[in-house]
Amino acid sequence: MLGRFPVALRLSRGLLRGSSARRGLSAMAGGGEEGRLADFFEYMERLRNYERSGVPRGAGTDSDDGFDLGRMRRLLRRLGDPHTHFPAVHIAGTKGKGSTAAFLSNIMREQGYNVGCYSSPHLLTIRERISVGNDGGPVPVGLLSDLFDQAKEAIDESIESENGALTHFEVFTALSFLLFSRENVDIAIVEAGLGGARDATNVIQSTELAASVITTVGKEHLAALGGSLQSIAIAKSGIIKQGRPVVIGGPFSADIEQIIRDRAFLTQSPVISACDPGIKSITKCIGWDNGKPYQRCDISINISDDVPLSIELCDVNLQLLGDHQCQNAVTASCTALCLRNLGWDISDASIQAGLEETQLPGRSQFLTQEEALVLGLDGASTVLIDGAHTEASAKALSNVIETVRLEGPLALVVGMANDKEHLAFAEQLLVGSRPDVVLLTEASIAGGASRAMPAPSLKEIWMSAARDLGINCVDIGTISGTETPEHIANLATSSSSFAGKPTVMIGCQDKTPFSCDLIRAASQLILESRGRGDASPGLVCVTGSLHVVATVLQHLERH
């Protein structure tokens, strides 16, 4: 049995269940009211933003090259140390931490707790990064505006005393902690931004930490985190604190898991593995509700080690798709059971409802028929948008496509930043459910054109990947997305076969950045390539960057 969480930071009263409305943690922002935040946005834009400029080499490592957590602690001290006023679950991981945070937040909301959640990045508005209360939506404009007005003097003083070194992420993290304190949240779910050990969120100490969670360890931000998977694992294990339990997601290779367990041993932290032999999860079927798919899963957790956990969940309808999301749901469930072991009141019903309620815009999101019509599609193709941009996330996306795709044609629309593993990303999506069409585009990446991978360069990489995999491909040149249906039909007819074998048509957008016109062109190409006599519905997947996905969502919001 784990030691109980400090009574002063644990809510013990009876609670009402939260709203049963389907909700996404990053619910979309509303229109022009953000004008009230103009001064705040202008202020934040003046701060150094590594999400735009790129993270320096070694900045996330627990070394002399790493970020200075001292300045974050000094800023919080000026604000009254708000991070010490509530218990927190701290989540790190290369992939899966956002979904796990969303699952866990909704579980706690279903139980009736006042939950604060801090995550990144955002899609349409920075307000998405902070949610508070029982609806999971972005922090209200008025609440953030008032908070900034009250904290600005202290932040100004900190920036001056730190010689301007405080960053955008540090200031926004501090504001989120201040908001959670002032809103008297019962628990905060805090997602690390980069690594863990030197991340600005890692000011949370054992006295405030309910549990830490490490979802996965992968190669993203390799240079910033030391150059190897081992150094990344060391950085992420820095969120483990003395005597507090750690939930590990995985699956991990033996050497990476050992690094995490060694850190836990040094800090005397109980380890709960979401890959324990006593855990079984299976996807039974894929269903459809209002034009959107869900996966029906059974989840069984029976762990009898140092931290005994047990739950049986049948027919869990997950809106987040793929084996990786089922694993994230298991990780979140293990964390909820860990909290229950610590004295939190969390029912089995709340765990299941929280898992089922969770959706994340831009992550394996299928657009409705109405939304597809807004994009100019005639209903013959379904649109999937997903912000995958690593080899691992491409593999997960390929799994989702194979799961929901029937026999219809597939088009990929891809735009990426220039610091990603482009070849490995392409290979994962080519070896899975082989696409009929791939259109490359230029993403509007934070930081400007200097960080966007040019579409012609991406096209050459995809052509090379297809040839290396023995896949017939043909270069269809540049395409703007505004071509006439007749031109699209001629293009598809002339390129649909090569030596009598199925062929992948690969083209790229002209010099203009990504626009939603390209989705319509991709849909027309796959339908023409299969012939009008083939009634199988097409699937167009837009991926490679959350910035590309955000462009689609912004278009839908405007229209």
Side-chain angles (χ1 to χ4, degrees):
M1 177 69 71
L2 296 174
R4 294 294 183 182
F5 199 77
V7 174
L9 291 178
R10 191 180 73 247
L11 193 69
S12 59
R13 63 181 182 272
L15 294 163
L16 296 174
R17 285 175 55 79
S19 168
S20 61
R22 291 184 180 272
R23 54 181 175 256
L25 203 62
S26 299
M28 294 299 95
E33 63 172 341
E34 288 203 349
R36 293 177 55 191
L37 289 170
D39 290 344
F40 168 72
F41 290 144
E42 182 182 352
Y43 186 95
M44 296 297 290
E45 282 297 309
R46 293 198 298 266
L47 301 176
R48 183 178 302 165
N49 188 343
Y50 288 116
E51 290 179 36
R52 292 182 180 274
S53 62
V55 184
R57 182 176 296 273
T61 60
D62 198 9
S63 68
D64 291 342
D65 295 325
F67 287 124
D68 177 15
L69 278 184
R71 63 178 180 241
M72 184 67 185
R73 294 190 181 98
R74 291 187 288 272
L75 169 60
L76 288 168
R77 194 173 304 129
R78 288 182 186 272
L79 295 172
D81 287 324
H83 61 300
T84 65
H85 300 164
F86 49 82
V89 174
H90 198 188
I91 304 177
T94 302
K95 304 302 295 184
K97 58 183 181 290
S99 298
T100 302
F103 280 132
L104 184 58
S105 295
N106 281 335
I107 288 169
M108 301 303 283
R109 289 191 186 100
E110 280 295 323
Q111 190 64 38
Y113 289 107
N114 179 17
V115 179
C117 184
Y118 180 60
S119 61
S120 59
H122 62 273
L123 286 172
L124 300 185
T125 169
I126 197 171
R127 295 191 294 113
E128 296 167 33
R129 299 189 180 204
I130 304 176
S131 64
V132 64
N134 62 8
D135 67 353
V139 57
V141 166
L143 200 57
L144 181 57
S145 177
D146 292 345
L147 183 79
F148 174 66
D149 289 343
Q150 295 161 12
K152 184 178 179 300
E153 183 176 351
I155 296 172
D156 285 340
E157 292 171 355
S158 289
I159 291 173
E160 183 177 358
S161 67
E162 301 292 345
N163 296 316
L166 277 170
T167 66
H168 183 286
F169 187 77
E170 288 168 326
V171 170
F172 203 71
T173 300
L175 286 171
S176 75
F177 290 161
L178 183 60
L179 181 67
F180 296 159
S181 173
R182 295 191 176 183
E183 292 297 304
N184 294 312
V185 299
D186 301 316
I187 190 168
I189 314 301
V190 178
E191 178 187 338
L194 175 74
R198 292 297 185 93
D199 188 74
T201 61
N202 202 33
V203 291
I204 301 168
Q205 297 301 308
S206 58
T207 48
E208 297 94 50
L209 186 68
S212 53
V213 181
I214 300 175
T215 56
T216 59
V217 173
K219 293 181 180 178
E220 192 172 12
H221 303 302
L222 196 64
L225 295 173
S228 70
L229 283 176
Q230 289 74 20
S231 64
I232 291 174
I234 291 169
K236 295 186 186 304
S237 64
I239 70 168
I240 301 173
K241 299 298 190 304
Q242 186 69 36
R244 307 312 304 160
V246 55
V247 178
I248 58 175
F252 301 100
S253 62
D255 60 326
I256 296 301
E257 182 167 335
Q258 193 58 51
I259 288 171
I260 298 172
R261 287 185 177 274
D262 286 346
R263 169 70 181 183
F265 178 79
L266 288 174
T267 57
Q268 299 177 302
S269 300
V271 178
I272 300 157
S273 173
C275 292
D276 187 278
I279 297 176
K280 308 294 181 186
S281 62
I282 183 172
T283 297
K284 298 163 65 176
C285 67
I286 300 295
W288 292 81
D289 181 17
N290 193 29
K292 292 189 175 185
Y294 61 86
Q295 58 182 348
R296 179 165 293 165
C297 308
D298 286 347
I299 297 173
S300 172
I301 300 174
N302 289 289
I303 301 177
S304 57
D305 294 335
D306 295 340
V307 186
L309 306 177
S310 179
I311 194 170
E312 299 286 338
L313 301 175
C314 297
D315 294 334
V316 182
N317 294 332
L318 294 181
Q319 298 184 74
L320 298 182
L321 303 179
D323 293 341
H324 62 298
Q325 293 294 4
C326 190
Q327 180 64 22
N328 292 334
V330 169
T331 302
S333 298
C334 286
T335 308
L337 293 174
C338 177
L339 293 176
R340 185 158 76 184
N341 203 308
L342 291 167
W344 295 78
D345 180 19
I346 305 171
S347 69
D348 290 2
S350 290
I351 294 176
Q352 179 153 349
L355 297 179
E356 293 184 333
E357 294 293 332
T358 301
Q359 52 189 317
L360 285 174
R363 282 80 162 182
S364 297
Q365 179 183 353
F366 285 79
L367 301 188
T368 64
Q369 290 184 352
E370 292 79 8
E371 289 169 333
L373 286 173
V374 170
L375 296 177
L377 276 64
D378 59 5
S381 293
T382 301
V383 180
L384 164 64
I385 57 176
D386 188 281
H389 54 271
T390 67
E391 180 181 6
S393 57
K395 184 176 182 180
L397 175 58
S398 182
N399 170 254
V400 170
I401 292 172
E402 288 191 68
T403 299
V404 303
R405 181 188 179 196
L406 300 175
E407 297 299 323
L410 169 66
L412 301 176
V413 178
V414 182
M416 302 185 75
N418 60 13
D419 59 349
K420 305 304 177 186
E421 297 175 289
H422 307 106
L423 182 62
F425 185 88
E427 289 173 342
Q428 287 295 338
L429 287 170
L430 286 169
V431 298
S433 230
R434 183 185 62 80
D436 299 271
V437 172
V438 179
L439 298 182
L440 291 314
T441 185
E442 188 168 302
S444 298
I445 302 294
S450 63
R451 290 196 60 222
M453 186 68 171
S457 300
L458 268 181
K459 184 179 71 172
E460 291 306 313
I461 291 171
W462 279 75
M463 295 283 292
S464 176
R467 288 191 290 261
D468 290 346
L469 293 168
I471 297 172
N472 291 311
C473 60
V474 60
D475 185 350
I476 62 173
T478 60
I479 187 167
S480 68
T482 59
E483 287 79 5
T484 65
E486 292 76 19
H487 179 79
I488 293 288
N490 291 335
L491 195 60
T493 301
S494 63
S495 307
S496 59
S497 65
F498 180 78
K501 297 179 181 179
T503 303
V504 180
M505 292 182 279
I506 302 180
C508 66
Q509 197 165 17
D510 51 21
K511 295 181 180 180
T512 58
F514 168 71
S515 73
C516 292
D517 290 334
L518 207 59
I519 300 175
R520 183 172 59 253
S523 176
Q524 292 172 345
L525 272 171
I526 55 175
L527 295 176
E528 292 289 349
S529 68
R530 288 291 181 95
R532 287 292 177 179
D534 188 341
S536 303
L539 175 63
V540 179
C541 176
V542 182
T543 187
S545 167
L546 282 172
H547 297 285
V548 173
V549 167
T551 300
V552 178
L553 294 174
Q554 287 165 350
H555 181 89
L556 293 175
E557 188 178 66
R558 287 195 301 269
H559 295 83

